[in-house]
Amino acid sequence: MGKREELIAQYADDLKNKCGMTPDMDLLTKVTIGCGPAIYNADASTVASSQPDELETVKNNFLIKKLGLADGPELVDAINKVIETYGKSERNKYRAVVYYMLTKHFGKEAMYV
């Protein structure tokens, strides 16, 4: 098993055990690949949910640019909901897991076909 497959397995484990959801492995794999080399960088692979700048980056670079959503308060609400689901006290919130949950939240799975 390669490094990426190990990370995807770890993300799937987080979705099951920390977020209480059964992951769609095909979508999770595509979202992970979409994150690019960031998944291999300790700092870039996680979302610092306590930093407003980081949440703004998730909103602008992922929700607006990648998923094509219009800016609005519902984007921040969705990010906060995902962070809450992941667990505010959870130190490592993996970017791929956060992006996966946001993709599911907005029903944008078709972006990864």
Side-chain angles (χ1 to χ4, degrees), residues 51-62:
Q51 297 177 356
D53 289 355
E54 175 78 359
L55 300 181
E56 196 65 23
T57 299
V58 170
K59 183 181 92 169
N60 290 326
N61 292 356
F62 183 70

Side-chain angles (χ1 to χ4, degrees), residues 3-17 19 21-36 39-40 45 62 66 86 93-104 108-113:
K3 181 70 174 156
R4 184 168 69 199
E5 288 78 17
E6 288 173 20
L7 289 169
I8 291 169
Q10 187 174 5
Y11 302 154
D13 186 64
D14 271 19
L15 283 164
K16 280 184 218 148
N17 299 316
C19 305
M21 53 181 64
T22 304
D24 171 341
M25 292 308 291
D26 188 47
L27 179 63
L28 180 58
T29 300
K30 289 175 180 173
V31 170
T32 301
I33 291 168
C35 289
I39 63 170
Y40 304 110
S45 69
F62 183 70
K66 174 71 180 168
Y86 211 142
K93 292 179 195 66
Y94 292 105
R95 186 170 304 280
V97 174
V98 170
Y99 286 8
Y100 171 90
M101 289 195 286
L102 286 167
T103 301
K104 293 291 260 182
K108 289 290 194 173
E109 294 90 341
M111 300 300 286
Y112 287 98
V113 172

Side-chain angles (χ1 to χ4, degrees), residues 67-110:
L67 297 186
L69 299 168
D71 195 359
E74 65 280 356
L75 301 187
V76 174
D77 291 345
I79 293 169
N80 289 331
K81 184 177 176 209
V82 162
I83 298 301
E84 194 68 43
T85 300
Y86 211 142
K88 282 189 184 280
S89 62
E90 184 58 43
R91 222 176 116 245
N92 290 325
K93 292 179 195 66
Y94 292 105
R95 186 170 304 280
V97 174
V98 170
Y99 286 8
Y100 171 90
M101 289 195 286
L102 286 167
T103 301
K104 293 291 260 182
H105 176 85
F106 286 106
K108 289 290 194 173
E109 294 90 341

